[in-house]
Amino acid sequence: MPEPLSDSEIQEFIKSIDFNNDGHVSYQEVERKLDDVANEIDPVPKKHNLHHHERKASDRHRFLRSVLGTDKDRIPNDDFAKKVRDWDVPSLVQDKQKDKDASDFLKGLSWSRRLRAWWSVEGPQTCFIAFVVAMQLAFAIWQLVKYLTTSPYRDGWGWGVVVAKTSAGALYPTMFFLLLSMSRWFATFARHSYHLSQFINWDRSQSFHIKISIAAMALATLHVIGHLTGSFVFGSMASRQNVVSSVLGQEMSYGDYVASRPGWTGLTALACFYLIGAGSVPQVRKWSYEAFQLVHLLMFPMIAMLIVHGTRGIFQWPMLGYFLAFPTLLVIIERVRRLLLGFHRIPARLIVLDDETVEITMSIPKTHWFPYEAGQYILLQVPQISFVQWHPFTISIISEGEAQVHIKADGDWTRRLKDFGKEGKELTHVGIDGPFGAPAQRFYDFDYTIIVGAGIGVTPFSGILSHMQHAEDDQWRNFRRASRPVSRRSSRSRKSSSRPGSRARSMSEKKADGDTKDEQQQQEPYDALRHRRCDFHWIVKSKNNLLWFSDLLNEISTSYFTFPSCYRRIAPSRSTTSASTAAAAVDDVSQRQRQAADSKKNNPNLSIRLTTHVTQKRPNIATHIYRHLLEAHRTPSHPKSPLTGLINPTEFGRPDLAAILHAHYADMLQLAAERKQRWDEGGETESMDEGLEEKKRRVGVFFCGPPVIGEELAARCEELTLRGRADGSGLEYRFMIEVFG
């Protein structure tokens, strides 16, 4: 349980409210402090805020009365302090305590467990980087030994040829991986293989591309320096012309070397490389993304120069062209295809969500080739902004022929797009290239999943949740429309690994003596054998970031907070959310939601639990307390939090992974008991399906965020798996890292 407010914090809070220092807290003082806090955390009111002009005065009054705790206009400070203690607001020191607990937990691990936790998060990708470096060293050492030990080369061109060819050897794999990192097709191929994607994670391709480009530029510069200041100088000396002519067939001057095919092509390629690098610095990208993209077109003449560079074969047969051929072909085909797609218009519309975020909804024609999987990303072109600019964005939602992307305005192009929408201009069409990527391939291998993600990088999971919700609800509606009852045995014959919509829906007639049970099963829709659950924990720095997907989160919350009898399987655990918040989430469900529940459009066997975490710290005690109170406040007419605009609960500070996982473990034990009871009800003729039960004991834990949190999560998953072996439950928590660029 979180540490409650200390007496000193309560007194500080009361002192900040008691403006006139009369020993009482009045209604007017509570209202004044609310205004101060509102102006601090929401200077520009949103519709869900209590101080928005469209909110009724009665909503504001109801909240103020709940804070004061009485119908009187004022209350003594001592009595108010007792009410503050009853709020169960956590202390300001809890964030520091959470950080300390996480640090102590990792420090307390044995070196082997700490290593396994690190490996789960960083290990495979570190191995890939090590492989790239090993390739660079292997080719560099090969060239170094060759030119260092072969006397004609060393005698004719001195140390310069050794330096130049050693750096050239390292350049061979460097240029290969540099160009390959530009291929989104290869990235998609790598993502479709779970194990391959752990090692070759091109979702971090931008970071990898920058780093390997710097390495390539350094090696290319060293190569040119070795020739210009070494081999060309030594090779033009009169005393060395005998050796030079014996190798090259003619005497060479310094100018002959520079004017030769390898000389001028190498210098031209390096000049193009420098121009591309200069146009890629963050200042240029922010100033003009079009300039950044246009200068990158120089890569094509640069590649051509590099291929021609070694064709004369002065010292050895040309190797660089073989390394460049495959990735260059991929990049050229992709770019030509993208250019053609720029002329294919897709109908679209734009909505400005807030000062930082816009939403684009695209109508996908049936004739358009768009093999979408939830969580993939596309390259988006908005011709009304720029014809040449294509930007990658994750598809947040796709349903009924429409796809949505959420775009944060943090660059030149995105700000222009935001301004375009704010000016009231109408977006008519866009260009699309993709989709790319295949995120979280193993998500559908589990009936029970936990997702922990941070920032906008977790957007692929929003698409996955939306896709799963619609698929499962469609399946449930088909089940409800079926005229024949489904047998429990057919429900257990589902494939253990399936994607949304692929679950078996075969219907079979039951014997007469089983009809009664099946009718009861239809009346009580919850089935422990069909049950699926997904716990989604989204970590953001500011509560305003929650507006990125507020509509999606609220749609899911509306669907899965509509079955009060099953709320224990849907609501966040008390260990991670205050009882008052959970109660408010149940008691204040709107009438519209209850009507949706009566219509039974949502699958009661699918449980999606949403919890958002805001890590932004508020050192002011009054702000800290008020935002907790505002977050917990719900009314029947306004089931959304007046702080975040979300139906689901929001917690503040770093998520307590220990409490989250232990509560989940307890729920899994209870669900296992329910399944056993359900199997026992089948009688002697129906035995437990061991394959299904084994799958139900596995929990997939997907993480996308800072490595330090990932290491703790991986270690705690291993801890729970060991606990499952020790207590005989057989529960397994399988940690998987997911990174989306």
Side-chain angles (χ1 to χ4, degrees), residues 9 13 29 33 162 173 180 267 300 328 363 367 579 676 731:
E9 288 176 324
F13 172 61
E29 288 172 329
K33 179 55 66 175
V162 177
L180 197 62
L267 292 173
F300 295 110
T328 299
S363 299
T367 56
K676 186 178 185 303
L731 293 176

Side-chain angles (χ1 to χ4, degrees), residues 275 520 711:
L275 289 174
Q520 293 175 350
E711 291 182 24

Side-chain angles (χ1 to χ4, degrees), residues 106-363:
L106 291 175
K107 290 179 181 178
L109 297 175
S110 64
W111 67 268
S112 58
R113 287 189 61 191
R114 184 69 185 270
L115 181 61
R116 288 196 296 270
W118 173 86
W119 174 263
S120 299
V121 179
E122 299 285 357
Q125 296 169 53
T126 302
C127 284
F128 172 69
I129 298 298
F131 171 75
V132 174
V133 174
M135 291 285 289
Q136 292 173 319
L137 290 175
F139 280 91
I141 293 172
W142 169 53
Q143 294 285 276
L144 172 64
V145 173
K146 176 180 178 179
Y147 287 93
L148 194 61
T149 59
T150 307
S151 57
Y153 301 130
R154 191 180 65 254
D155 295 341
W157 290 272
W159 62 265
V161 71
V162 177
V163 172
K165 298 306 290 184
T166 300
S167 57
L171 265 174
Y172 297 152
T174 302
M175 293 302 299
F176 173 82
F177 286 111
L178 187 154
L179 293 177
L180 197 62
S181 66
M182 299 172 61
S183 172
R184 299 184 186 273
W185 284 358
F186 183 81
T188 301
F189 168 77
R191 286 292 289 151
H192 273 89
S193 169
Y194 172 76
H195 297 289
L196 183 61
S197 67
Q198 297 305 292
F199 287 87
I200 309 177
N201 196 337
W202 287 137
D203 291 313
R204 283 180 171 172
S205 60
Q206 182 179 5
S207 174
F208 176 78
H209 180 75
I210 293 173
K211 293 174 183 176
I212 204 164
S213 296
I214 294 173
M217 188 175 294
L219 291 170
T221 302
L222 186 61
H223 176 77
V224 171
I225 290 175
H227 279 313
L228 292 180
T229 65
S231 60
F232 288 4
V233 174
F234 287 103
S236 60
M237 292 179 179
S239 60
R240 302 190 182 227
Q241 290 305 307
N242 290 334
V243 179
V244 171
S245 60
S246 66
V247 176
L248 302 183
Q250 67 180 59
E251 295 183 355
M252 298 284 289
S253 66
Y254 194 93
D256 292 335
Y257 285 112
V258 175
S260 65
R261 188 192 310 164
W264 70 265
T265 55
L267 292 173
T268 303
L270 185 62
C272 292
F273 208 166
Y274 279 140
L275 289 174
I276 294 173
S280 302
V281 297
Q283 292 81 358
V284 175
R285 287 181 55 132
K286 291 183 178 180
W287 169 68
S288 174
Y289 193 82
E290 288 188 358
F292 164 77
Q293 287 200 321
L294 290 173
V295 77
H296 262 69
L297 294 178
L298 290 173
M299 70 177 176
F300 295 110
M302 182 191 77
I303 294 172
M305 292 298 101
L306 289 175
I307 293 175
V308 174
H309 178 66
T311 55
R312 187 176 175 184
I314 294 179
F315 296 120
Q316 63 186 25
W317 55 275
M319 294 183 59
L320 186 58
Y322 293 98
F323 280 89
L324 297 180
F326 174 68
T328 299
L329 182 64
L330 280 180
V331 171
I332 290 176
I333 294 176
E334 289 183 29
R335 294 304 174 92
V336 172
R337 179 176 180 271
R338 190 174 306 156
L339 178 64
L340 297 177
L341 288 174
F343 295 97
H344 185 72
R345 300 294 182 239
I346 303 296
R349 60 183 182 274
L350 181 145
I351 299 175
V352 179
L353 298 180
D354 55 40
D355 291 337
E356 294 184 339
T357 314
V358 299
E359 174 189 279
I360 292 182
T361 303
M362 297 155 282
S363 299

